[in-house]
Amino acid sequence: MATPLPATLGALRASEFTPSRLARSVKDELRENLIAKLRSAANNGTRGADDKVSLFPGIVGYEDTVVPQIVNAVLSKHNFILLGLRGQAKSRILRALTTLLDPNLPYIAGSEVRDNPYAPISQFGRNQLAKFGDETPIAWLTPDQRYVEKLATPDVTVADLVGDIDPIKAARSNQDLGSELTMHYGLLPRANRGIFAINELPDLAGKIQVALFNIMQEGDVQIKGYPVRLPLDVAIVFSANPEDYTARGKIVTPLKDRIGSEIRTHYPENIEEGIAITAQEAWSARSWDDARGKDKEGHPTNNIEIPHYIRQIVEQIAFTAREEKKVDKRSGVSQRLPISTMELVLSNAERRALLHGESVVVPRVGDIYTALPGITGKVELEYEGEVRGADTVIREIIRQSVAIIFDKYFANTNTQQIEQWFNLGGTVQLNDTQPSAGSLEELKQIQGLFEKLSPLQISAKSKPEAAVSAAEFLLEGMYAHKRISRTEERSFTAAEKKSRNDQAANYAERMREREIEREESIRNRTRRGFN
């Protein structure tokens, strides 16, 4: 049974929470706990990626890039900033810093600034000690309670962050306006003895950024010009977009100079890292609460099977969009895009299975096209993309992604027999209106199709849902490479022969794209690079 935490100052003095232990600053506490974690990992022989992941649970792909820089910043006792585009886990990393705080921290009960029981900084805390002595009531903070976060917006005021005079409190307590007891503390004093995070720092107004100078340099705050000084103990961390965090952006240079470390985040470096993140974040562990979806103990079972090539295509969409010139590079393509896309893909596959009474859910490439609502809202287009339309651009990105993943499996596969079947007038339609068994029978008419699916481990014994999904992937890949055609109703037919008008239109499109690239390069010559 755990020993109860001390409830009074006298009991606290007799416990392990000595004055010297509570005298540590937050940055010293973070540093000491980080050192203990690193030593524990070394003693347990878990060097490498495993111990790095344990420092920041749920963070994937930063083991050799971002995490070592954060470790160095914490060991150096720096205030630091994370610079990166949207969807790069900046906020999650900042929140994970609470794992480096002590499990419990005592403070004087009722103190708005969470006073150290042995050395209070507020008038309230000193009054409590003078009034109750060793009977002063003690309350406790958990690591999550010691983390305060603020999203910076242009309308944030100094009073929001630091505090202000409360005339109503002064009137009710019969105190002078200059008395510390009349102060209404802002977020920063209330984060005393903890971590204060500001997201999107450059969005703060200039005067608010200036107000942070003294806090970061001297460690204290002043309220409304009155001689009220609070020597705060706070570890301050920030996040920002790299484009705004420059002298020509919206950051005040002296504030930038006072931030100890500048750490840049990034998107996943390869498909497998992205798949790991999406698998971790997307809601895919679904079940149906019916007789078929329960195990022997009556618990719902997961009846969703996601082929690896579907995971690869969904992730490739984000990678392709980040390289697409019609997509705004300055805004980035968030990692939330493949997460939302995967959830919508699973939902459409789930809907199809429910409509036809199927017990297994296997998503198909066609389900990815139904996830357009989860993609268009997360991609900001350049002018050329806006002209062509978001749906058109996204469909082309999906087609390119399917082609890239198709080549990983079928680059050396001869598909001429399949193409010939379509050239002889064969057609096949794959949509959600028919069950997988019906689609499978229709696909079996295509000569040589299923013999080509061996790279996907599909055999005669495979479930109809899995076999249809794999066959559709092969056909979608052939369509992506323009070996066959497909209508909006998802009917696959022979490839269309290009007419002279189509060739002329394609040539005009290429010329227009070159002209846009030329104009963009001319504009870039006059731009200075980022800091």
Side-chain angles (χ1 to χ4, degrees):
M1 184 176 178
T3 305
L5 296 171
T8 63
L9 180 58
L12 187 69
R13 293 184 191 278
S15 71
E16 59 181 313
F17 296 92
T18 61
S20 60
R21 176 175 175 177
L22 296 189
R24 293 182 308 167
S25 68
V26 175
K27 293 179 180 178
D28 283 325
E29 180 184 342
L30 292 169
R31 172 184 162 83
E32 291 178 16
N33 289 333
L34 175 58
I35 290 173
K37 276 197 171 188
L38 294 174
R39 283 177 175 167
S40 175
N43 293 336
N44 293 333
T46 57
R47 294 184 179 91
D50 292 340
D51 70 292
K52 294 171 186 173
V53 172
S54 65
L55 292 179
F56 301 101
I59 303 301
V60 179
Y62 287 169
E63 293 82 4
D64 299 318
T65 53
V66 177
V67 169
Q69 295 181 45
I70 295 175
V71 169
N72 291 343
V74 173
L75 292 177
S76 302
K77 301 198 294 186
H78 282 177
N79 297 316
F80 65 86
I81 184 167
L82 297 179
L83 295 178
L85 299 174
R86 56 184 179 176
Q88 292 185 352
K90 300 187 296 296
S91 297
R92 172 169 289 194
I93 292 174
L94 297 183
R95 291 165 189 160
L97 292 173
T98 58
T99 61
L100 301 178
L101 294 173
D102 290 345
N104 298 285
L105 183 76
Y107 71 104
I108 296 177
S111 172
E112 295 181 10
V113 296
R114 311 194 283 202
D115 277 304
N116 182 340
Y118 299 122
I121 63 173
S122 71
Q123 187 62 49
F124 172 84
R126 292 190 290 269
N127 290 348
Q128 289 290 93
L129 287 185
K131 181 178 180 180
F132 296 105
D134 281 351
E135 296 302 315
T136 301
I138 299 298
W140 294 84
L141 292 168
T142 64
D144 288 340
Q145 291 171 331
R146 297 174 64 189
Y147 178 83
V148 178
E149 185 175 280
K150 176 63 178 176
L151 176 62
T153 55
D155 60 343
V156 173
T157 65
V158 175
D160 293 331
L161 290 184
V162 178
D164 204 348
I165 303 296
D166 189 342
I168 297 177
K169 184 185 290 187
R172 288 179 176 175
S173 60
N174 198 26
Q175 299 282 345
D176 294 333
L177 282 178
S179 170
E180 185 181 328
L181 296 175
T182 67
M183 304 298 170
H184 175 77
Y185 295 111
L187 288 174
L188 197 47
R190 293 174 187 271
N192 184 40
R193 304 175 73 204
I195 300 170
F196 185 61
I198 299 179
N199 287 319
E200 306 303 335
L201 173 64
D203 287 342
L204 282 180
K207 65 178 181 179
I208 311 301
Q209 296 184 34
V210 171
L212 292 173
F213 289 176
N214 196 58
I215 299 168
M216 297 182 65
Q217 194 70 35
E218 306 297 335
D220 60 25
V221 298
Q222 293 176 277
I223 299 177
K224 276 289 186 180
Y226 288 98
V228 176
R229 303 183 71 88
L230 296 175
L232 300 177
D233 174 22
V234 184
I236 306 179
V237 291
F238 309 94
S239 72
N241 185 301
E243 185 177 344
D244 297 330
Y245 191 72
T246 64
R248 297 176 311 283
K250 295 182 284 187
I251 192 71
V252 176
T253 304
L255 174 60
K256 181 179 179 181
D257 184 54
R258 285 166 170 79
I259 298 175
S261 294
E262 178 182 302
I263 301 170
R264 290 185 177 261
T265 58
H266 56 81
Y267 289 121
E269 295 180 342
N270 55 62
I271 291 291
E272 294 306 317
E273 279 186 0
I275 289 174
I277 295 172
T278 301
Q280 172 183 279
E281 300 298 324
W283 179 50
S284 58
R286 308 182 186 186
S287 59
W288 294 340
D289 192 13
D290 61 8
R292 292 176 301 175
K294 292 185 179 180
D295 58 20
K296 294 179 180 179
E297 281 123 14
H299 302 301
T301 57
N302 186 1
N303 46 13
I304 294 180
E305 299 177 6
I306 307 175
H308 191 62
Y309 55 84
I310 293 293
R311 295 186 185 275
Q312 290 174 305
I313 295 171
V314 169
E315 210 59 46
Q316 184 64 47
I317 292 170
F319 278 77
T320 303
R322 290 171 190 144
E323 299 297 326
E324 174 58 54
K325 59 186 177 182
K326 300 181 184 67
V327 175
D328 186 357
K329 303 292 188 300
R330 293 165 296 183
S331 297
V333 177
S334 170
Q335 188 59 28
R336 298 183 186 91
L337 184 149
I339 295 171
S340 297
T341 301
M342 178 59 75
E343 291 173 342
L344 289 171
V345 166
L346 294 181
S347 294
N348 195 70
E350 194 174 27
R351 180 178 65 86
R352 180 176 58 249
L354 288 168
L355 288 174
H356 300 295
E358 297 171 348
S359 60
V360 179
V361 177
V362 181
R364 308 174 187 172
V365 175
D367 298 325
I368 298 176
Y369 284 93
T370 68
L372 283 177
I375 302 176
T376 54
K378 292 178 175 56
V379 174
E380 292 189 23
L381 301 178
E382 296 282 10
Y383 173 74
E384 182 185 359
E386 295 288 354
V387 169
R388 296 194 62 182
D391 282 3
T392 302
V393 173
I394 298 304
R395 287 179 183 276
E396 179 62 20
I397 289 174
I398 295 175
R399 189 192 65 79
Q400 293 176 23
S401 302
V402 172
I404 292 171
I405 304 304
F406 174 87
D407 289 341
K408 292 184 178 182
Y409 290 93
F410 301 107
N412 298 321
T413 300
N414 187 341
T415 61
Q416 288 185 356
Q417 186 178 8
I418 301 174
E419 295 173 37
Q420 185 178 7
W421 185 86
F422 284 107
N423 290 335
L424 293 174
T427 63
V428 63
Q429 187 173 32
L430 298 176
N431 52 38
D432 296 340
T433 62
Q434 57 183 341
S436 297
S439 297
L440 181 61
E441 291 302 317
E442 192 171 349
L443 288 167
K444 286 181 178 179
Q445 302 174 26
I446 305 177
Q447 298 174 3
L449 174 61
F450 285 94
E451 288 79 357
K452 302 294 190 298
L453 299 180
S454 56
L456 304 178
Q457 284 76 50
I458 295 297
S459 65
K461 297 181 180 179
S462 298
K463 299 175 182 177
E465 296 85 355
V468 172
S469 177
E472 182 178 298
F473 172 41
L474 177 59
L475 296 179
E476 282 285 352
M478 294 175 62
Y479 162 69
H481 283 295
K482 300 183 179 179
R483 300 176 190 175
I484 59 176
S485 297
R486 176 174 61 74
T487 66
E488 289 298 321
E489 293 75 25
R490 304 201 56 75
S491 291
F492 292 90
T493 59
E496 296 179 1
K497 295 182 179 180
K498 292 185 178 180
S499 65
R500 291 186 177 181
N501 290 338
D502 293 336
Q503 294 175 355
N506 291 337
Y507 177 78
E509 178 71 15
R510 289 197 300 272
M511 291 298 101
R512 189 161 64 91
E513 290 178 356
R514 288 181 184 177
E515 185 64 27
I516 292 174
E517 290 177 358
R518 190 179 300 111
E519 293 175 357
E520 183 68 22
S521 64
I522 293 174
R523 287 197 299 268
N524 287 339
R525 290 174 191 170
T526 62
R527 294 178 183 172
R528 295 172 55 191
F530 293 150
N531 286 350

